[in-house]
Amino acid sequence: MSVIFDRVALIGLGLIAGSMAHAMREGGLAREITGFARSAATRDTAREIGLCDRVCDSVTDAVTDADLIVLAVPVGAMGDVAARIAPHLKPGAIITDVGSVKQDVIDTVGPHLPAHVHFIPGHPLAGTEHSGPKAGFASLFRNRWWLLTPLPDTDPDALDRLNRLLVAMGAKTDRMEAGHHDLVLAVTSHAPHLIAYTMVGVADHLRRVTDEEVIQYSAAGFRDFTRIAASDPTMWRDVFLHNREATLDILGRFTEELFMLQRAIRMGDGQQLHDYFTRTRAIRRGIIDAGQDTDAPDFGRTPGARGS
Amino acid sequence: MSVIFDRVALIGLGLIAGSMAHAMREGGLAREITGFARSAATRDTAREIGLCDRVCDSVTDAVTDADLIVLAVPVGAMGDVAARIAPHLKPGAIITDVGSVKQDVIDTVGPHLPAHVHFIPGHPLAGTEHSGPKAGFASLFRNRWWLLTPLPDTDPDALDRLNRLLVAMGAKTDRMEAGHHDLVLAVTSHAPHLIAYTMVGVADHLRRVTDEEVIQYSAAGFRDFTRIAASDPTMWRDVFLHNREATLDILGRFTEELFMLQRAIRMGDGQQLHDYFTRTRAIRRGIIDAGQDTDAPDFGRTPGARGS
């Protein structure tokens, strides 16, 4: 037991908040965990499974006297939640969020918050294709990155305290500028998700191939795509709408590149295809090499990054 | 021990042939396994690890007196191999292949073969991102589909015998018309692979994002893509060149669909995105449901398919 926060309020009770509740309890990191979800059904489920110490019927109750408030709602809902809780925040409280987009959250949440609280945006790079209050589990963040995008004037003590919680839940943390975060994630997560959704949609439309065939003969490639494409629709709608510029930029590059390869197939240019596939194979090797390094204390630090 | 073939010749000693060797030995399914690979280094490695009973320096030696010959080379090399082995095939021998494309293999291999052998094209839907003689393992085919695309005049006894071998190695088998196979695989495997290769290539080109960031912060989406994009470059070059029409057809549909979603992002049409993602999620559910059914004896049979 090493309590880091007296009272933690989880707003939104999905996969991430649920996993935080499990992880904080396992580590004895919070004295009390309150929770709120907009949907009464979600609140009922959370109560049934005892997800939090107290599930509140109003977001105001949930955040009152909380030392840490975690906004774990879809990115598009963050601004409204911030406006509603702002008058009820305890001086010195830390507010963080777990949204997959950071600049938009800063723009929509920041202006609502009083000067006497610490807003530290964050993003755990962890998840599964499941969602809802029952989807969480304590080890979700173990050895996964949790990126923080603090504003320039962030209080170092508040940042350190939040950071200690994340590390105690098993996460590796790093800090990044919000706009840069959004570009990195557009490449590594947002565009790949849209592409996976698209490919699964194409399969669904192809009437000459039966659904049974698509499903039964889904080899590695497509099976992985369907897993990605099963992620929460509301969360991902908001990601794309709120990281629009970076996502469209990456998708534009992607289609240029795809057209080049399509042309190589059409023209029978085997050398170009082979060269391309050889290059992409090397990138995978880099990921595996990086993965093998996880035990090393300096793993994952971009030169110059202030790893925590 | 239940020997199905006296002598099996594996031509090409990569992941698939190596896994067949392990699986056949584990089950005692062949009295002798011979092997040949074009590269002397591959033959040396195969000898070192004792992959086959006999690794031959000439493809002619490998196939002489074989009851079953398995062509496990890239699709683009199948025709040449067939031409070289044709004069040395024992009457009544069964020739199969493991290529990911079937009509092209039938067109290039078939004409070389003498009338006194049985040619039964096949395709195991199994693999990993690794390749080479050391990549194989006995359980690769366990509970995976092995599609056969026999020609209309195929000898039923030969088909049954090959089928028994595949089932004994753990595979589930099904039969399909070659052209239809190529379309189904274009949707479920070939187009997804090209898309994964492309996305990994885009990440590599994006200089504002460092390689370290792409690698370290590769969330689920991108990480799955890189695994797919690490597959053998020669094999995949040949797949695309030899299943050209179906692959280009699917890629055309894919880009139409992607442009529609890109436009929805640009226009801020959240409803369209949400609807689309909800539909793709249902497809994933179908795969999971199908997976839960694997124990049922009729799993995976398209109505009317002659499952074996």
Side-chain angles (χ1 to χ4, degrees):
Chain A
M1 294 288 285
S2 62
V3 173
I4 297 173
F5 288 97
D6 267 347
R7 185 180 292 177
V8 176
L10 302 173
I11 310 306
L13 295 171
L15 168 68
I16 298 292
S19 296
M20 289 183 72
H22 290 298
M24 286 188 289
R25 284 177 155 194
E26 194 178 272
L29 308 174
R31 263 188 237 287
E32 189 188 21
I33 300 171
T34 62
F36 170 80
R38 199 179 49 175
S39 139
T42 301
R43 295 197 299 269
D44 287 346
T45 303
R47 281 189 190 106
E48 269 166 41
I49 64 173
L51 191 64
C52 307
D53 298 307
R54 197 154 48 86
V55 174
C56 306
D57 284 323
S58 93
V59 70
T60 310
D61 287 352
V63 303
T64 299
D65 288 329
D67 304 286
L68 173 68
I69 296 95
V70 181
L71 308 182
V73 298
V75 170
M78 296 274 183
D80 282 350
V81 171
R84 286 169 59 201
I85 64 173
H88 308 279
L89 298 173
K90 186 165 94 169
I94 296 173
I95 322 290
T96 190
D97 77 298
V98 299
S100 306
V101 177
K102 297 273 57 80
Q103 191 58 57
D104 184 87
V105 169
I106 291 172
D107 294 345
T108 54
V109 168
H112 293 294
L113 300 180
H116 61 68
V117 301
H118 306 289
F119 176 41
I120 308 172
H123 177 206
L125 304 190
T128 74
E129 69 271 33
H130 303 297
S131 47
K134 288 181 170 173
F137 52 97
S139 63
L140 178 64
F141 309 113
R142 212 162 284 162
N143 209 32
R144 306 298 297 270
W145 286 105
W146 197 310
L147 302 179
L148 295 171
T149 61
L151 301 165
D153 59 350
T154 299
D155 176 59
D157 290 341
L159 182 56
D160 177 64
R161 197 168 165 206
L162 175 60
N163 192 72
R164 274 190 290 134
L165 176 73
L166 308 183
V167 170
M169 290 192 299
K172 304 175 291 183
T173 64
D174 209 345
R175 298 172 207 175
M176 210 179 260
E177 187 273 324
H180 190 68
H181 165 279
D182 292 352
L183 179 64
V184 171
L185 269 288
V187 178
T188 59
S189 173
H190 305 171
H193 268 81
L194 193 75
I195 287 162
Y197 277 123
T198 305
M199 190 60 224
V200 172
V202 168
D204 193 35
H205 290 174
L206 206 71
R207 290 297 165 217
R208 273 183 299 161
V209 175
T210 68
D211 289 353
E212 285 86 358
E213 285 171 324
V214 166
I215 288 168
Q216 287 161 27
Y217 305 128
S218 63
F222 191 71
R223 198 187 307 263
D224 290 343
F225 278 31
T226 63
R227 198 182 59 70
I228 299 173
S231 305
D232 184 56
T234 304
M235 174 195 150
W236 281 99
R237 174 199 66 196
D238 281 9
V239 166
F240 297 125
L241 294 181
H242 297 276
N243 195 19
R244 178 157 63 179
E245 294 313 318
T247 303
L248 291 177
D249 174 19
I250 301 302
L251 291 175
R253 292 164 187 269
F254 172 81
T255 44
E256 284 171 21
E257 210 74 0
L258 183 62
F259 283 160
M260 181 197 69
L261 291 174
Q262 259 179 261
R263 182 177 178 280
I265 294 173
R266 202 180 296 278
M267 308 293 279
D269 189 342
Q271 192 60 49
Q272 187 177 14
L273 294 172
H274 193 274
D275 290 349
Y276 200 93
F277 302 161
T278 303
R279 276 205 307 280
T280 58
R281 190 175 221 189
I283 300 182
R284 170 66 182 180
R285 210 164 287 139
I287 290 184
I288 292 169
D289 290 347
Q292 284 171 340
D293 265 350
T294 42
D295 285 343
D298 282 322
F299 166 61
R301 294 295 173 273
T302 321
R306 294 168 300 153
S308 327
Chain B
M1 295 288 285
S2 61
V3 174
I4 297 172
F5 288 97
D6 266 348
R7 185 180 292 178
V8 176
L10 302 173
I11 310 305
L13 296 172
L15 169 69
I16 298 292
S19 296
M20 289 183 71
H22 289 298
M24 287 188 288
R25 285 177 154 195
E26 194 177 272
L29 309 174
R31 263 188 237 286
E32 189 187 20
I33 300 171
T34 63
F36 170 80
R38 198 179 49 175
S39 138
T42 301
R43 295 197 299 269
D44 288 346
T45 304
R47 281 190 190 107
E48 268 167 42
I49 63 173
L51 191 64
C52 307
D53 298 307
R54 198 154 47 86
V55 174
C56 305
D57 285 323
S58 92
V59 70
T60 310
D61 287 352
V63 303
T64 299
D65 288 328
D67 304 286
L68 172 68
I69 297 96
V70 181
L71 307 182
V73 297
V75 169
M78 296 273 184
D80 282 349
V81 171
R84 285 170 58 201
I85 65 173
H88 307 279
L89 298 173
K90 187 165 94 170
I94 296 173
I95 322 288
T96 190
D97 77 298
V98 299
S100 306
V101 178
K102 296 273 57 78
Q103 190 58 57
D104 184 86
V105 169
I106 290 172
D107 294 345
T108 54
V109 168
H112 293 294
L113 299 179
H116 61 69
V117 300
H118 306 288
F119 176 41
I120 308 172
H123 178 206
L125 305 190
T128 73
E129 69 272 33
H130 303 297
S131 47
K134 288 181 170 173
F137 52 96
S139 63
L140 178 65
F141 309 113
R142 212 163 284 161
N143 209 31
R144 305 299 297 272
W145 287 104
W146 197 308
L147 302 179
L148 295 172
T149 61
L151 300 164
D153 59 350
T154 299
D155 176 60
D157 290 341
L159 183 56
D160 178 63
R161 196 167 165 208
L162 175 60
N163 193 71
R164 275 190 289 134
L165 177 73
L166 308 182
V167 170
M169 290 192 298
K172 303 175 291 183
T173 63
D174 209 346
R175 298 174 207 176
M176 210 179 259
E177 187 273 322
H180 189 69
H181 165 279
D182 292 352
L183 179 64
V184 170
L185 268 289
V187 178
T188 58
S189 172
H190 305 171
H193 268 81
L194 194 75
I195 287 162
Y197 277 122
T198 305
M199 191 60 223
V200 173
V202 167
D204 192 35
H205 289 173
L206 206 72
R207 290 299 167 214
R208 273 183 298 162
V209 175
T210 68
D211 289 352
E212 285 85 358
E213 285 171 324
V214 166
I215 288 168
Q216 287 161 26
Y217 306 127
S218 62
F222 191 70
R223 199 186 307 263
D224 290 343
F225 278 31
T226 63
R227 198 183 57 70
I228 298 172
S231 306
D232 184 56
T234 304
M235 175 196 148
W236 281 98
R237 175 199 66 196
D238 282 8
V239 166
F240 297 125
L241 294 181
H242 297 275
N243 195 19
R244 179 157 64 179
E245 294 312 319
T247 303
L248 291 176
D249 174 19
I250 301 302
L251 291 175
R253 292 163 188 269
F254 171 81
T255 44
E256 282 171 22
E257 209 74 2
L258 182 62
F259 283 159
M260 181 196 70
L261 291 174
Q262 259 180 261
R263 182 178 179 280
I265 294 173
R266 203 180 294 279
M267 309 292 280
D269 189 342
Q271 191 60 48
Q272 187 177 12
L273 294 173
H274 193 274
D275 290 349
Y276 200 93
F277 302 161
T278 303
R279 277 205 308 278
T280 58
R281 190 175 221 189
I283 300 183
R284 170 68 182 177
R285 210 164 286 138
I287 289 185
I288 292 169
D289 290 348
Q292 284 171 341
D293 265 351
T294 41
D295 284 343
D298 281 322
F299 166 60
R301 294 295 173 273
T302 321
R306 294 167 300 154
S308 330

